[in-house]
Amino acid sequence: MPSFLEQQLALEKSRTGYAVVTIVSSGGSTPREYGKMLVTAEGYAGGTIGGGNAEYLAIADAQEALKRGRNTVKTYTLQGEKSSTGMTCGGELKLLFEVYPARPVLVMIGAGHVGKAVLTLARFLGFDTVLLDDRPEADIRDAIALADRFVSTPDFTNELVALDVPADASYVIATHGHKFDSTALKSVLGKPFAYAGMIGSRGKVNKVIHDLRAEGVPEEKLAAARAPIGLELGGETPEAVAFSILAEIMQVTNGTSARPMREVR
């Protein structure tokens, strides 16, 4: 059997969110004084805190902690009318639930100056990054090195449609041509996403939206696209543009207003 750490590493490598359940203390005739268990959104993933009904309830509580995204501590009473587990043995079991959510995914479409700056900042913010570009790898090696995964694509259509990423992924479109941006945006809007944005001037964006509308892209999909991309923060360097893009992604995915903190109560 793999060790607990090996099981935990496997979850990290597969980019799966999980909770670690740890026995903090136990008293009375509880079956164990120490133990750890791994739980994913789907259920038990490894380790043990002693089995039985207490472990069964702990799995459900770990899944709830994952859903809420918050660490918590719970105490289970193991006997009598106040028992929270239904077990007949005596004592108490205190458990710590530590949540390790799956890393958010950002798909960067385009390996130009802005793309490289977005990948750099996204990595710093903890995103799992995917880069798509149609240029020879030798020409964009510095950008490829910044991404967790690189996908070479000739047309920004088939690879994007087939790209295996979570439904809550964020997409940033900044290719080396208006035509490619339009093609990429059409493909992205055909997929589920948490955020989809395209770089460009107001005139370029209006033309792309007009063309996609004429091609039959649903109005609600077009309205969901963030274009021009980013928040109005000022600055024209690739790094400043990337900062405004990531700020908007966080604002959208976190469901916040992006108001100054002094105005937030």
Side-chain angles (χ1 to χ4, degrees):
M1 292 291 290
S3 72
F4 184 89
L5 291 178
E6 288 173 330
Q7 293 170 319
Q8 188 173 7
L9 181 59
L11 292 174
E12 290 284 349
K13 287 183 176 180
S14 65
R15 302 180 179 90
T16 301
Y18 62 93
V20 177
V21 184
T22 305
I23 296 177
V24 176
S25 64
S26 61
S29 57
T30 54
R32 294 180 73 115
E33 295 184 357
Y34 60 89
K36 283 181 175 289
M37 180 172 63
L38 293 166
V39 179
T40 68
E42 287 69 39
Y44 174 79
T48 183
I49 57 168
N53 204 34
E55 185 165 293
Y56 173 80
L57 292 175
I59 290 172
D61 287 334
Q63 290 174 303
E64 182 63 24
L66 272 170
K67 187 183 300 183
R68 301 172 83 179
R70 299 182 63 180
N71 295 348
T72 188
V73 175
K74 293 190 69 110
T75 299
Y76 299 87
T77 304
L78 305 180
Q79 73 169 8
E81 295 180 0
K82 295 182 179 180
S83 174
S84 59
T85 68
M87 296 176 68
T88 57
C89 59
E92 285 189 342
L93 187 65
K94 180 181 285 188
L95 302 178
L96 168 65
F97 297 82
E98 298 175 278
V99 173
Y100 295 84
R103 292 167 61 194
V105 174
L106 184 144
V107 181
M108 183 67 233
I109 306 167
H113 296 301
V114 170
K116 288 188 288 186
V118 167
L119 288 170
T120 300
L121 184 54
R123 172 178 286 185
F124 177 77
L125 292 173
F127 283 86
D128 179 25
T129 56
V130 183
L131 171 65
L132 279 82
D133 203 277
D134 62 345
R135 287 170 283 191
E137 292 187 30
D139 296 344
I140 55 172
R141 290 195 184 282
D142 51 348
I144 294 174
L146 295 170
D148 293 302
R149 179 158 50 119
F150 172 65
V151 177
S152 179
T153 178
D155 58 8
F156 295 105
T157 300
N158 293 333
E159 293 292 348
L160 259 175
V161 170
L163 189 64
D164 184 18
V165 294
D168 60 354
S170 296
Y171 295 82
V172 176
I173 301 170
T175 73
H176 54 90
H178 293 189
K179 175 183 176 182
F180 304 120
D181 284 346
S182 179
T183 300
L185 182 59
K186 182 178 181 180
S187 298
V188 169
L189 293 181
K191 299 169 68 72
F193 57 83
Y195 175 97
M198 182 184 71
I199 201 167
S201 65
R202 179 66 63 181
K204 167 197 166 179
V205 167
N206 288 341
K207 183 179 186 312
V208 168
I209 296 299
H210 176 272
D211 292 345
L212 293 182
R213 183 179 290 115
E215 293 176 26
V217 177
E219 202 63 39
E220 64 271 16
K221 290 286 189 178
L222 295 173
R226 299 278 171 159
I229 199 171
L231 299 180
E232 186 182 12
L233 300 178
E236 299 180 353
T237 65
E239 292 75 17
V241 173
F243 185 87
S244 76
I245 292 170
L246 267 298
E248 185 179 46
I249 290 174
M250 293 183 67
Q251 180 255 318
V252 170
T253 57
N254 291 332
T256 59
S257 65
R259 290 183 297 155
M261 286 301 296
R262 66 182 180 180
E263 297 179 6
V264 178
R265 296 183 180 180

